[in-house]
Amino acid sequence: MYGPTKVPTSYRVREKKAPGKVWRVQAELNFVKGNSSEAVNFTTMSCEPETPNAPPELQIGPKIHFPFNGRRVDLDVHILSGEVVGIHMASCDNGSKIHNYLLEWDEGKGCEEFCQCYYGLQRQFRITKLSPAMGYTFRLAAKNDMGMSGFSEEVLFYTSGSAPTVPASPVLNKAGISWLSLQWTKPSGTPSDEGISYILEMEDETSGYGFKPKYNGDDLTFTVMNLRRSTKYKFRDGNQGKHRVTKRGPALSYPMFTLVTGIVGRWRAVCVTALQRPNSDAAAIRIVVIAYNSEGKSGPSEVVEFVTLPDRPGAPSKPTMKGKVHAQNFRIAWDPPKDNGGATITKYIVEISEEQSGNNWDTTYSGVAREHVCDHLSPGCSYRIHVICVSEGGQSPASEYLTVQTPAVIPGPCQPPRLQGRPRAREVQLRWAPPPVDGGSPVTCYSLEMSACEGEQREVYQGNEIEHTVCGLLPGKGYSFRIRAANKAGFGPFSEKSEITTAPGPPDQCKPPQISCRSATCALIHWEAPNNNGADITEYRVEWGGMEGCMQMCYCGPGYAYEMKGLSPAIVYYCRVQASVCRTAVNVAGTGLFSDVVACLTPASVPAAVTNLWGMKEEEMENPHDYSPSTCLAVAWDRPCDHGAEITGYILDYGDKQTITVGKSSSYVIEQLQPDSTYRIRVQALNSLGVGPFSHSVKLKTKPLPPEPPRLECAVYGHQSLKLKWGDGTSRAAPTDSIQYHLQMEDKSERFISLYRGPCHTYKVQRLNESTTYKFRIQACNEAGEGPFSPEYIFTTPKSLPPALKAPRIDRINDHTCEVIWESLAPMKGDPVIYILQIMVGKDSDFKQVFCH
């Protein structure tokens, strides 16, 4: 067994061998084997048994395999009944005889807590009093003299189940016309976690197939739909072959059921033909429920009978007329509906609607009779009538409506015609209302009759209008009027009379008035009285105006003359007169026509006063350069009315009786005035007839004299800038300074350009050329205007230093001589450039000049 030179003389057997094994030794050298030793038996020491395997397999019935932890566990189980289990147990004893087995289970609780089920030497055990279709978990351990082994793997076994018991009969939740809502409960004694399904069966007689399933599921409620009225149904009775027939409703004297029986298996089939009751179509429905699970079906529940509700009846027949239609009533009749919905008709409802009221229906009758007289109607109206019936099933739809037209009658009397507005002298306007009762037909015509006092009646109007103006009357005379209406049935009676008196007539047109001018602003108007047409003239109205189409009333009174004042000279005025009469101080009878318009021209006069006078600004003047606001004032005015004579000139008054006569111009400049002084100025116009009045006065003030220019000095010189200073103020301006300064400089074209305008006293001129002469001048300004320019000041910028040179270059010539070279600069405006060369010997010595040229 061992080939190396060093052959071990011992060997440890680590694996366990089955009992009955023997051992022997054999030597081998260079592939030559020696004889084997004698066989020797060795016995190992005993220990606790090995962990038992899961019980092997079934001995009765098919083998059941249960997967557990990824392995296939064989369980040796005797399925003796739904409540008995037999289990085989086996294990290896490991050299010590097993004298006990420990079997534990979870009692079907499905938890990890185990309790002892069996302890003993037997290798199988029968467990009784178990629940059907219940899972139980088991584990097994073996015990010998050396101790207890570990537990085997847990295995889960299920007991066989059983079919559910017969469920209780379903109960009715709610019934409808074509449906029934049913509910049932679980069979008694069924565990709460056991899954049970249900089959609901119902028989429809018309199908001829007996009971058919209507529902198959786990729910405990179901609604059977699509049921019919007047339907034959079959049902079966599972009560040991006895026939059970339940009658619906009270006992009747006519046949109710026809019973035919036959045996089919364990069930007895019963065919029942339900005969229809009068006025009833409700169908009795027979239903059973069956419960089932994986083990099988239960028996059917007891057959129950439920009744569907009756449907609402159909619409009654269309109403018909009975007899003649009168103006205020008529009689109708109708037939019951063809389909009463399965219930007796309890009452009929008659509804009526006037055609003009749209879809508004009023109930006129409710009862069991099938005739009715519709009264209290209006003549000449169209009515719609329909009938509705009511039963236990509800209210039917309305029948087709019948349209009835009541005949019309003549209209009733109208109210007396009334006066519209005030009566006039030769006409009156009357208005009336339609009659309260039109007789059921629209009014098509009115007849108006008139009579003078104690005179004959005569028709003055016939038509469909409700107002009319009666013309051709005499002023101040009484008349009586009456009215009647007509429709298609004829004329109705006349109304009561209405007494009306015409008003006095207006006077005739006045003659044109006479006008005489007393002065340029006053005229006298005179007129004559016209014919008054039977009424005293109480007032005259005079209209006056400057335009013929735009005159206003200037006088209203009983007089025959009026003096018009406040006129304008040389103006054409227009005038007309109107007369008015009345019976009282309040009630005006009317006014006559206006007279023809008369024109009048007032004489010419002196000009009118100037209405608008103002002082002119410099920008409004034609030549502002010659205008000095310190010694001059410019005024302008609007041209006044000349009053018929041309204006020849104006007189200006500017105080202390100082006047100036000017021509026709409407503006003037007053010169040689005092500076900073106030003047009151007014003006008047002249024409050939004299001098007009003065205008209103205006106050104007001359400005003070402009300030003198300050002295200009150069405060700081620079080769590219000059800082100039003037006056005695500071460099910064104060907010109260009223003087502005204007600084100018001469350019290359010998023109002065503006450099600065403001209140400051200094200004720095930059971007100048070095060694260049510049000319400056300054001017002061204030409210009075700009003062004169100062004389020209000449300032010259100084020369600037030449720029720094680059480091020179040194070329050695010999030990004692070297040449220094640097870049030359361009001459600066003719100023020669002098170069100075300095040299320093050693670090601490000073520079010494060695060259200057």
Side-chain angles (χ1 to χ4, degrees):
M1 291 288 224
Y2 290 87
T5 305
K6 261 186 170 184
V7 179
T9 58
S10 64
Y11 175 71
R12 176 177 292 178
V13 181
R14 296 183 179 275
E15 58 184 80
K16 296 179 181 179
K17 298 296 181 179
K21 294 286 186 179
V22 295
W23 301 86
R24 62 184 179 180
V25 180
Q26 184 183 24
E28 180 181 349
L29 178 62
N30 295 330
F31 303 103
V32 178
K33 296 182 180 179
N35 295 327
S36 299
S37 67
E38 293 181 1
V40 181
N41 289 329
F42 297 97
T43 301
T44 59
M45 296 178 65
S46 301
C47 67
E48 66 273 4
E50 292 185 1
T51 301
N53 293 327
E57 59 186 22
L58 288 174
Q59 295 182 1
I60 298 177
K63 182 182 292 186
I64 302 175
H65 303 285
F66 294 88
F68 187 80
N69 291 336
R71 298 175 56 190
R72 186 170 119 181
V73 179
D74 293 335
L75 173 65
D76 190 359
V77 181
H78 292 286
I79 306 299
L80 302 180
S81 68
E83 299 181 353
V84 179
V85 176
I87 300 177
H88 287 278
M89 297 166 284
S91 177
C92 180
D93 57 4
N94 285 339
S96 178
K97 185 178 180 180
I98 296 175
H99 52 75
N100 280 307
Y101 290 97
L102 175 60
L103 179 65
E104 291 186 352
W105 68 329
D106 63 351
E107 297 181 337
K109 298 179 180 178
C111 60
E112 296 181 357
E113 295 182 1
F114 288 84
C115 62
Q116 180 176 319
C117 177
Y118 169 76
Y119 183 78
L121 186 58
Q122 298 294 330
R123 295 194 177 187
Q124 67 178 16
F125 179 69
R126 176 175 295 177
I127 306 172
T128 60
K129 298 182 180 180
L130 302 179
S131 299
M134 178 70 74
Y136 296 90
T137 304
F138 297 89
R139 66 183 182 181
L140 181 64
K143 185 177 182 182
N144 59 8
D145 293 337
M146 305 306 296
M148 182 73 72
S149 70
F151 282 100
S152 66
E153 294 181 359
E154 298 175 3
V155 290
L156 177 64
F157 306 121
Y158 287 90
T159 58
S160 60
S162 61
T165 60
V166 177
S169 299
V171 295
L172 180 66
N173 279 342
K174 192 174 181 181
I177 298 172
S178 60
W179 53 270
L180 290 172
S181 178
L182 306 177
Q183 181 179 359
W184 55 89
T185 58
K186 280 189 174 185
S188 59
T190 303
S192 59
D193 57 348
E194 182 178 354
I196 297 179
S197 300
Y198 303 92
I199 299 175
L200 184 68
E201 292 185 350
M202 185 191 76
E203 183 188 27
D204 186 354
E205 186 185 50
T206 59
S207 65
Y209 294 109
F211 280 94
K212 300 292 290 181
K214 286 293 184 179
Y215 170 74
N216 188 343
D218 301 335
D219 294 335
L220 298 176
T221 59
F222 182 70
T223 301
V224 184
M225 306 297 292
N226 301 323
L227 301 181
R228 299 188 299 274
R229 296 182 292 124
S230 300
T231 304
K232 297 178 181 180
Y233 292 95
K234 291 182 180 180
F235 67 93
R236 59 186 181 182
D237 187 358
N239 191 2
Q240 298 180 2
K242 294 182 180 179
H243 303 296
R244 178 186 301 171
V245 178
T246 303
K247 296 182 180 181
R248 174 176 49 83
L252 301 177
S253 59
Y254 50 85
M256 188 64 183
F257 296 95
T258 301
L259 185 62
V260 180
T261 65
I263 302 299
V264 181
R266 295 189 302 118
W267 296 94
R268 181 180 298 276
V270 180
C271 176
V272 178
T273 302
L275 299 181
Q276 191 177 32
R277 291 190 305 173
N279 298 326
S280 177
D281 289 336
I285 300 173
R286 283 79 182 181
I287 298 174
V288 296
V289 65
I290 300 172
Y292 69 93
N293 56 15
S294 59
E295 302 300 330
K297 294 184 179 180
S298 71
S301 66
E302 291 186 5
V303 178
V304 290
E305 177 184 282
F306 301 118
V307 180
T308 54
L309 296 180
D311 198 358
R312 66 173 185 166
S317 65
K318 180 179 179 181
T320 57
M321 293 295 305
K322 292 192 69 175
K324 184 180 178 181
V325 179
H326 300 280
Q328 294 183 341
N329 62 78
F330 54 82
R331 179 183 292 273
I332 60 172
W334 60 90
D335 294 329
K338 296 180 180 179
D339 181 11
N340 60 7
T344 305
I345 303 299
T346 57
K347 67 176 178 180
Y348 294 94
I349 299 174
V350 178
E351 292 183 341
I352 189 170
S353 173
E354 191 172 352
E355 191 168 317
Q356 298 178 353
S357 63
N359 204 26
N360 296 327
W361 294 85
D362 299 325
T363 300
T364 184
Y365 169 74
S366 178
V368 295
R370 289 184 290 162
E371 287 187 6
H372 176 64
V373 176
C374 300
D375 52 4
H376 303 290
L377 304 179
S378 299
C381 291
S382 179
Y383 293 94
R384 295 178 298 171
I385 302 98
H386 64 209
V387 182
I388 300 171
C389 60
V390 181
S391 70
E392 183 183 354
Q395 182 172 297
S396 73
S399 66
E400 295 184 23
Y401 62 82
L402 172 68
T403 302
V404 180
Q405 176 77 33
T406 56
V409 296
I410 60 173
C414 300
Q415 295 292 329
R418 61 183 183 276
L419 181 66
Q420 186 76 6
R422 294 182 179 180
R424 298 181 181 180
R426 299 185 180 277
E427 62 181 32
V428 291
Q429 186 177 7
L430 301 178
R431 186 178 181 87
W432 54 90
V437 179
D438 60 359
S441 178
V443 174
T444 58
C445 182
Y446 295 96
S447 175
L448 178 65
E449 290 188 354
M450 179 191 73
S451 65
C453 294
E454 297 180 358
E456 296 182 356
Q457 297 283 345
R458 65 184 181 92
E459 186 178 66
V460 294
Y461 172 74
Q462 187 177 98
N464 57 0
E465 301 293 335
I466 58 172
E467 63 178 19
H468 179 68
T469 300
V470 183
C471 303
L473 305 179
L474 299 177
K477 189 174 182 181
Y479 295 89
S480 63
F481 299 90
R482 64 180 183 177
I483 189 75
R484 64 176 176 173
N487 61 9
K488 65 180 181 180
F491 275 99
F494 276 103
S495 66
E496 296 181 359
K497 292 183 179 181
S498 176
E499 302 291 340
I500 299 175
T501 302
T502 57
D508 291 342
Q509 182 181 13
C510 295
K511 294 182 179 180
Q514 298 178 358
I515 304 174
S516 59
C517 295
R518 293 186 175 183
S519 66
T521 59
C522 179
L524 180 64
I525 307 171
H526 182 269
W527 58 89
E528 296 178 357
N531 184 11
N532 58 14
N533 287 331
D536 294 335
I537 297 177
T538 57
E539 62 182 13
Y540 294 93
R541 299 176 183 174
V542 180
E543 289 189 353
W544 182 276
M547 296 179 63
E548 185 175 357
C550 184
M551 292 181 288
Q552 296 180 354
M553 186 173 62
C554 62
Y555 172 76
C556 181
Y560 296 98
Y562 178 71
E563 187 177 15
M564 195 69 185
K565 298 180 180 180
L567 304 179
S568 297
I571 297 296
V572 176
Y573 290 96
Y574 300 90
C575 180
R576 63 181 182 178
V577 181
Q578 181 188 44
S580 175
V581 299
C582 66
R583 289 183 298 175
T584 63
V586 178
N587 185 17
V588 177
T591 57
L593 299 177
F594 275 102
S595 67
D596 295 336
V597 178
V598 177
C600 172
L601 176 64
T602 56
S605 178
V606 297
V610 176
T611 58
N612 192 12
L613 176 65
W614 70 93
M616 298 176 62
K617 298 181 181 179
E618 292 188 34
E619 54 268 18
E620 298 177 356
M621 301 177 60
E622 296 181 357
N623 297 318
H625 300 290
D626 300 334
Y627 177 78
S628 176
S630 300
T631 59
C632 301
L633 289 175
V635 293
W637 56 88
D638 291 337
R639 182 181 180 87
C641 180
D642 58 4
H643 285 171
E646 183 182 3
I647 296 176
T648 58
Y650 296 93
I651 298 176
L652 289 175
D653 182 7
Y654 58 96
D656 295 336
K657 297 182 180 181
Q658 300 180 25
T659 59
I660 301 175
T661 302
V662 298
K664 298 180 180 181
S665 175
S666 59
S667 63
Y668 187 75
V669 178
I670 306 175
E671 300 177 345
Q672 298 180 358
L673 301 178
Q674 296 296 324
D676 198 15
S677 301
T678 302
Y679 293 89
R680 187 184 298 270
I681 302 172
R682 58 182 182 172
V683 65
Q684 61 182 163
L686 301 173
N687 64 3
S688 59
L689 298 178
V691 180
F694 274 106
S695 68
H696 67 281
S697 59
V698 295
K699 288 184 179 181
L700 300 176
K701 184 178 181 181
T702 56
K703 296 181 179 180
L705 293 174
E708 294 294 327
R711 177 178 176 78
L712 188 62
E713 299 177 353
C714 183
V716 178
Y717 288 88
H719 61 276
Q720 289 185 339
S721 64
L722 294 173
K723 185 176 182 181
L724 304 181
K725 180 181 178 182
W726 59 87
D728 298 332
T730 58
S731 60
R732 292 186 178 180
T736 57
D737 290 346
S738 60
I739 298 178
Q740 302 284 323
Y741 299 97
H742 185 198
L743 178 64
Q744 293 182 345
M745 182 182 72
E746 188 180 53
D747 60 3
K748 295 180 180 180
S749 302
E750 297 182 355
R751 295 178 303 177
F752 280 93
I753 60 175
S754 178
L755 294 180
Y756 170 75
R757 184 185 295 271
C760 295
H761 293 266
T762 60
Y763 182 74
K764 187 176 182 179
V765 186
Q766 298 181 351
R767 297 181 181 179
L768 303 178
N769 297 324
E770 62 178 342
S771 187
T772 305
T773 300
Y774 295 92
K775 293 182 180 180
F776 299 91
R777 68 179 184 179
I778 194 169
Q779 176 190 40
C781 309
N782 62 4
E783 297 178 353
E786 297 180 352
F789 278 99
S790 67
E792 298 178 358
Y793 292 90
I794 300 175
F795 301 105
T796 304
T797 56
K799 299 178 181 179
S800 62
L801 297 176
L805 297 174
K806 295 182 179 180
R809 191 183 66 197
I810 302 174
D811 295 336
R812 182 178 178 183
I813 299 176
N814 52 39
D815 293 341
H816 302 283
T817 306
C818 63
E819 183 181 10
V820 181
I821 301 173
W822 60 85
E823 295 181 357
S824 61
L825 299 176
M828 304 175 65
K829 289 192 176 182
D831 187 12
V833 179
I834 300 173
Y835 300 96
I836 299 174
L837 180 62
Q838 294 180 347
I839 191 172
M840 181 179 66
V841 180
K843 294 183 178 181
D844 297 333
S845 61
D846 296 332
F847 280 96
K848 293 182 180 181
Q849 181 175 329
V850 296
F851 176 78
C852 180
H853 179 69

